[in-house]
Amino acid sequence: MNDKICCFVIIGFGKKTSYANGKMRVLDLDETFSLLIKPVFDALNISCYRAIDKNLSGSIDKVMLQEIKNADIALVDITTLNANVMWELGVRHSLKPRHTIMICEKEQMNSIPFDVNHFVVHQYAHSEEGIPYKEVERFRKQLTEVVKGCLEQKPEVTDSPVFTFLEDELKNKKGMEKVELAANPNDSQ
């Protein structure tokens, strides 16, 4: 893969609490990044990093928004339904029409909010004890195929609900203009 391609990973940092299915579990999202995500992008020669990896002091809002906007790929882990992650997913959907990949820990899948649950979300297994070796192998293989497929799309597919809406609005507007022109042919002169 092209080393100029970059992936910004939107994910919680450290150990976060999941309340999926009424059970409280503490999951290490740094482990998710280091075992499941980063090795895939390293193997594909794609730069892959989180906001915390930028090692900035003070407010990171502007830099984070630039990364969300400029990244060729955004990988978003919605595990634990972290409010910041969900907000950043919305920002990504409003700024980029494609190449947003969502992942989630499998027990959390039943708790995904309606506005997100009808999109493709790739699931992985993670327990408080960690991520099993076989799951690391399985998910890395799956994510590798997802990333390759994302980059090889012809024609490219819009995965942003915002851009899908805007494309539909534009089509409807053009269709209405054609109807208006057909109804009033003298107005086009």
Side-chain angles (χ1 to χ4, degrees):
M1 291 278 150
N2 185 338
D3 63 346
K4 294 184 183 201
I5 295 173
C6 68
C7 174
F8 184 62
V9 179
I10 300 170
I11 187 171
F13 308 119
K15 294 182 178 182
K16 299 292 185 218
T17 304
S18 168
Y19 297 97
N21 302 322
K23 296 187 316 188
M24 187 175 98
R25 299 176 305 135
V26 177
L27 303 177
D28 186 345
L29 299 180
D30 289 342
E31 185 176 68
T32 301
F33 178 75
S34 64
L35 291 178
L36 298 181
I37 300 168
K38 182 89 167 97
V40 168
F41 288 92
D42 287 348
L44 294 170
N45 198 26
I46 296 173
S47 174
C48 175
Y49 51 91
R50 306 168 292 175
I52 198 170
D53 299 326
K54 288 291 192 174
N55 200 19
L56 302 170
S57 60
S59 175
I60 65 167
D61 294 346
K62 185 175 180 180
V63 172
M64 180 195 55
L65 290 169
Q66 287 174 328
E67 296 297 339
I68 291 170
K69 176 184 166 280
N70 295 334
D72 300 293
I73 299 169
L75 187 137
V76 184
D77 187 342
I78 60 175
T79 300
T80 74
L81 303 177
N82 177 296
N84 293 325
V85 169
M86 300 305 280
W87 183 83
E88 292 166 26
L89 171 62
V91 169
R92 174 65 181 200
H93 278 158
S94 69
L95 296 175
K96 286 285 209 179
R98 60 191 58 85
H99 300 159
T100 301
I101 300 168
M102 289 188 281
I103 67 172
C104 186
E105 193 276 329
K106 73 177 183 175
E107 286 193 39
Q108 189 76 57
M109 293 292 288
N110 292 331
S111 302
I112 295 174
F114 172 78
D115 289 340
V116 179
N117 74 8
H118 55 282
F119 293 100
V120 175
V121 179
H122 306 278
Q123 61 182 304
Y124 63 90
H126 192 314
S127 69
E128 288 189 280
E129 292 78 38
I131 303 170
Y133 179 76
K134 286 188 179 206
E135 178 61 5
V136 170
E137 286 184 330
R138 183 201 69 77
F139 189 76
R140 282 184 187 176
K141 182 178 178 182
Q142 177 184 353
L143 184 56
T144 298
E145 294 308 311
V146 168
V147 172
K148 286 180 178 178
C150 179
L151 295 174
E152 295 169 357
Q153 291 175 348
K154 299 288 186 239
E156 293 183 323
V157 176
T158 300
D159 57 36
S160 161
V162 175
F163 277 84
T164 299
F165 167 77
L166 293 174
E167 288 170 357
D168 289 347
E169 285 291 299
L170 186 59
K171 287 177 192 172
N172 288 339
K173 185 176 181 179
K174 286 181 180 178
M176 290 304 295
E177 289 172 358
K178 288 179 184 176
V179 168
E180 288 173 11
L181 284 175
N184 302 313
N186 293 333
D187 289 347
S188 63
Q189 296 175 350

